[in-house]
Amino acid sequence: MSSHAGTIDHHHDPSTSTGIPNKKLLMWAFLASDCMFFGALIATHLIYRLHPPSGNPDPKVVFNPALTSFSTFILLMSSLMMALAVNAIQKGNLKSMRWSLLTTIFFGCIFLFCQVFEFNEFVHEKHMTITNSILGSTFFTLTGTHGTHVAIGVLWLTLMYIRSFKPAGAVSGAWLGKATLHLLVFAVTIVLTMHVVLAFVFDFLATGLTGAMVAGFFSSTFLSFAGMIIGYGALRWFARPAGPVAFDEHNAIDVESMGLYWHFVDIVWIVIFTAVYLLEYL
């Protein structure tokens, strides 16, 4: 931790006319526009729910409130970890910030996994698609747009995590190549992990936990499972200590701006969860 970490004002910028750092002001402006965008999507869904056309599927039959409640809890916990990451870098605690970012990424990926599983169930088992009903059109557009925001947030978190390893005084070109490889390994590992977990869940739901199921699962996902293990090993190698880095409490505004985006995404999901899911059961 830097000895002068406590002397940095992370909330005000005397060099700007507003006293607010330009990065934070820009993020607030973007989030304001995104509020109107999501407001339009949520209002559209609610209007069509008040006047459903004939043949519209019953949301109570389609929705899985237990799964959605779990994913909502996971997303809320990710906001806690994001807040801890911001607090850690403001104090110059780089190691704590990295672990908090990794946990936030992990929770974000769990949320995306739950959404992929839910969409698959709706399409293949409940036969609700984006084109065969108004409920499907408004639901998939709204929740799919939010899922895209979560995926963008996970990518941003990953880039910030990788950026925190930039060596002090490193040549930009040389470090950029290593950072790109780090990002590629990170992305491939996440995709392989989601593929392996989804395959296991689908096999388990289809046949139950049996010796034959486990054997068939490892047989069909052996390459993905091996690639996943190698990927985690490579990520551990990238994260090894390598001397001083060009990332400290002076970069707190970057992490804080990212935190504003992530908290906004979580708040929007709370509104969606209430307006789309919970209202059907009131």
Side-chain angles (χ1 to χ4, degrees):
M1 183 186 300
S2 299
S3 59
H4 61 287
T7 67
I8 297 177
D9 189 343
H10 300 285
H11 303 284
H12 301 283
D13 185 355
S15 67
T16 63
S17 59
T18 61
I20 304 174
N22 290 328
K23 291 181 180 179
K24 187 185 293 188
L25 192 61
L26 178 63
M27 179 54 63
W28 277 117
F30 166 74
L31 296 181
S33 67
D34 228 19
C35 277
M36 293 184 284
F37 177 63
F38 274 109
L41 293 179
I42 294 171
T44 301
H45 176 84
L46 291 177
I47 289 172
Y48 280 113
R49 283 300 301 128
L50 290 174
H51 307 284
S54 58
N56 218 39
D58 184 0
K60 293 182 180 179
V61 176
V62 176
F63 291 162
N64 185 345
L67 176 64
T68 312
S69 298
F70 170 74
S71 62
T72 300
F73 172 76
I74 289 296
L75 204 58
L76 290 175
M77 290 302 98
S78 74
S79 261
L80 170 62
M81 300 311 301
M82 187 69 246
L84 292 177
V86 173
N87 181 260
I89 191 58
Q90 286 178 347
K91 295 179 179 179
N93 192 337
L94 193 58
K95 181 178 180 181
S96 178
M97 184 211 70
R98 287 171 178 164
W99 277 110
S100 296
L101 287 182
L102 285 175
T103 307
T104 307
I105 293 170
F106 176 68
F107 285 159
C109 289
I110 292 178
F111 178 86
L112 292 174
F113 164 81
C114 291
Q115 192 166 59
V116 170
F117 179 84
E118 183 182 53
F119 283 11
N120 181 80
E121 181 183 27
F122 289 172
V123 172
H124 295 290
E125 296 184 18
K126 307 297 178 61
H127 306 293
M128 182 181 78
T129 69
I130 197 172
T131 58
N132 67 3
S133 67
I134 290 295
L135 176 63
S137 298
T138 58
F139 172 82
F140 284 116
T141 300
L142 174 57
T143 58
T145 300
H146 179 268
T148 302
H149 277 67
V150 175
I152 292 172
V154 168
L155 175 60
W156 192 358
L157 288 162
T158 303
L159 291 173
M160 189 66 67
Y161 169 78
I162 294 173
R163 179 186 169 191
S164 72
F165 289 98
K166 182 179 180 180
V171 178
S172 297
W175 177 80
L176 185 60
K178 182 179 179 181
T180 302
L181 182 60
H182 193 171
L183 176 62
L184 180 62
V185 171
F186 214 114
V188 171
T189 303
I190 288 177
V191 171
L192 290 177
T193 301
M194 294 187 71
H195 170 70
V196 169
V197 174
L198 280 171
F200 179 82
V201 170
F202 289 143
D203 288 351
F204 173 77
L205 292 177
T207 63
L209 187 60
T210 64
M213 187 279 287
V214 173
F217 162 74
F218 279 110
S219 175
S220 61
T221 62
F222 175 76
L223 291 178
S224 296
F225 190 82
M228 179 185 72
I229 298 301
I230 294 172
Y232 284 119
L235 290 177
R236 182 67 185 88
W237 180 83
F238 278 113
R240 73 195 190 285
V245 296
F247 198 94
D248 56 21
E249 62 271 13
H250 292 87
N251 300 102
I253 186 60
D254 299 323
V255 182
E256 188 174 353
S257 298
M258 181 175 63
L260 289 175
Y261 174 87
W262 191 258
H263 295 318
F264 168 79
V265 169
D266 289 0
I267 292 171
V268 168
W269 179 252
I270 293 174
V271 177
I272 293 174
F273 179 61
T274 303
V276 175
Y277 293 89
L278 293 185
L279 284 182
E280 299 293 344
Y281 298 90
L282 296 179

